[in-house]
Amino acid sequence: MSLTGHFFAICCTLCWAVTAVSFAYAGRRVGSLPVNIIRLVMGVAFFALISAVRFGTLWPADATPHQWLWMSISGFIGFFLGDLFLFRAFLLIGTRLSMLMMTLAPLFTSLLAWLMLGEALSPAGLLGMALTMGGIALVVGERGGAKDEQAPVSKTKGLLFALLGAMGQGSGAVLAKLGMARSFEELPAMLAGDAPPLDAFQATQIRVTIAMLSFIVLVTLLRSHRRVLKAHTDWRAMIALLIGAFLGPFLGATLFNKSLQYVPSGITQTIVATVPIVIMPLTLWIEKDQISRRAVLGSAIAVSGIFLLCH
C-alpha cells in the first residue's frame, strides 16, 4: 500500500478537525440545520469556481453515467443521511456518546468494502484498526462536564441515530470508491491500479452537490427557510461557516476521496475517525478545556494503531 493514501487521510483528518470546531461554533449561534445547508452551498460554490478554472466547466462533464449514479448515491447516504442522523444524535444523547458510536464507522466500511470490493486488511491492519478504534473510544467515552451529562430525550433513539450515522459514513465511503470506476466492468482494473479513477475533486463535487440538493428539499419540506435566511445576518457565524466549508466539504472531502484511491476504504475511515482526538488541542487552546490522563492514553493508543495501519 502506498503511504500517499495515508498522507491524504491524515491531511483530511486535520482539515475536518478545524471544520468541526468551526461548525460547532456556528451551530451554537444559528442552529444545526442552517449550518448543514449553508456549509454545503458554500462548498458547491468553491467547487464550481475551481472547476471552471481547472476544467473550463462548472460541472464534472467527463464523469460517466455510472460515476454520476454511484457518487450521487454516496453523497445522499454519506453526506446527507449520515450527517442528518449524527446531528440528531448530538441533540438526543450528547456529543461524546454520539462520537463513541461513530467509532463503529470503520467497521461498517471494512465489512462493506470486503463484500462489495473484495478489499481485505492484513492482520497488522486489523490490529491497527482495533487499536485506533479502542483509543478513540477511550477518549470520547470519558465522562464529560455538565453539558455532556444532560438527560437525553430518548437514549435508545439517540443511540439508533448515532448508529445510523456511522453506517451512513461507512457505506458512503465504499459507494464513493465504487463510483470512481467508469463502469462495473472497469472496477477490477481500477482497484488493481490499471485503470484511472474519476478525479477526486470531481467525485467530491458530485457528492457534495447531491447532499446540498437533499438538504434544500428537507428545508423546503420543514418550511425552515426563515431560519436559514436569518443565519446570514450573523457575520461571525458566516465567517466560521466559510472556514469550515472550505476545509470540510471542499478540501477535506476531496482529500478523503483521494485517499480512497490509494488504500483500502477501512484504513481511510479509521484514520479519519481520529478527528475527536485531533480536536483536543484545539479545544484546549480555544475553549480552555482540560485534557485528562485518560485522554492522553487513548490518544497514544490511537496513534500507535495508525502507525500499524501505515506499515
Side-chain angles (χ1 to χ4, degrees):
M1 292 184 297
S2 171
L3 289 178
T4 304
H6 301 86
F7 173 75
F8 283 131
I10 292 171
C11 290
C12 170
T13 304
L14 297 174
C15 287
W16 281 357
V18 179
T19 294
V21 175
S22 299
F23 287 163
Y25 173 79
R28 289 193 293 267
R29 297 184 67 89
V30 300
S32 62
L33 185 59
V35 166
N36 263 313
I37 189 168
I38 294 174
R39 71 186 174 108
L40 292 173
V41 170
M42 288 179 173
V44 168
F46 283 131
F47 277 112
L49 177 63
I50 302 301
S51 181
V53 174
R54 285 188 62 191
F55 306 107
T57 177
L58 296 176
W59 301 100
D62 296 333
T64 65
H66 171 91
Q67 291 168 331
W68 268 99
L69 173 64
W70 290 103
M71 284 300 172
S72 296
I73 296 174
S74 171
F76 180 79
I77 294 177
F79 281 161
F80 174 63
L81 290 181
D83 285 358
L84 195 63
F85 285 128
L86 177 59
F87 275 89
R88 185 60 180 166
F90 284 160
L91 297 177
L92 294 175
I93 59 176
T95 305
R96 288 180 180 271
L97 190 54
S98 297
M99 293 305 298
L100 180 61
M101 293 295 293
M102 289 301 292
T103 59
L104 295 174
L107 282 181
F108 291 121
T109 303
S110 298
L111 178 61
L112 287 174
W114 174 60
L115 292 173
M116 299 177 66
L117 304 176
E119 291 182 349
L121 297 180
S122 65
L126 291 172
L127 177 59
M129 177 182 291
L131 284 174
T132 302
M133 293 172 60
I136 298 169
L138 195 62
V139 173
V140 301
E142 183 180 19
R143 179 176 293 275
K147 183 171 58 176
D148 289 324
E149 295 175 358
Q150 294 174 354
V153 176
S154 173
K155 187 172 183 179
T156 301
K157 181 184 282 188
L159 290 172
L160 176 61
F161 281 152
L163 181 64
L164 290 173
M167 293 176 67
Q169 281 198 6
S171 56
V174 177
L175 292 172
K177 192 158 190 175
L178 176 65
M180 287 180 184
R182 294 182 58 83
S183 64
F184 278 119
E185 291 74 21
E186 284 194 12
L187 180 61
M190 187 208 72
L191 293 175
D194 298 327
L198 177 65
D199 182 84
F201 177 91
Q202 294 181 317
T204 312
Q205 184 178 11
I206 296 174
R207 297 183 71 199
V208 172
T209 301
I210 295 302
M212 180 197 70
L213 295 175
S214 300
F215 271 108
I216 289 176
V217 171
L218 179 63
V219 167
T220 302
L221 293 175
L222 295 178
R223 298 180 180 179
S224 301
H225 300 86
R226 291 184 179 179
R227 289 175 55 194
V228 176
L229 292 175
K230 185 179 179 180
H232 288 82
T233 62
D234 190 325
W235 65 270
R236 288 186 175 87
M238 294 303 293
I239 291 176
L241 280 169
L242 190 65
I243 295 172
F246 180 80
L247 294 177
F250 177 66
L251 182 58
T254 300
L255 291 168
F256 182 88
N257 282 337
K258 194 70 177 175
S259 174
L260 290 176
Q261 296 178 359
Y262 291 92
V263 295
S265 309
I267 289 181
T268 297
Q269 190 67 62
T270 301
I271 294 175
V272 172
T274 59
V275 167
I277 292 175
V278 180
I279 287 176
M280 286 195 304
L282 294 176
T283 56
L284 175 65
W285 175 48
I286 297 173
E287 301 179 4
K288 310 304 180 183
D289 280 354
Q290 297 297 317
I291 298 179
S292 66
R293 294 180 180 178
R294 172 172 170 165
V296 173
L297 175 61
S299 300
I301 293 174
V303 170
S304 67
I306 293 177
F307 180 80
L308 279 176
L309 286 173
C310 293
H311 287 75

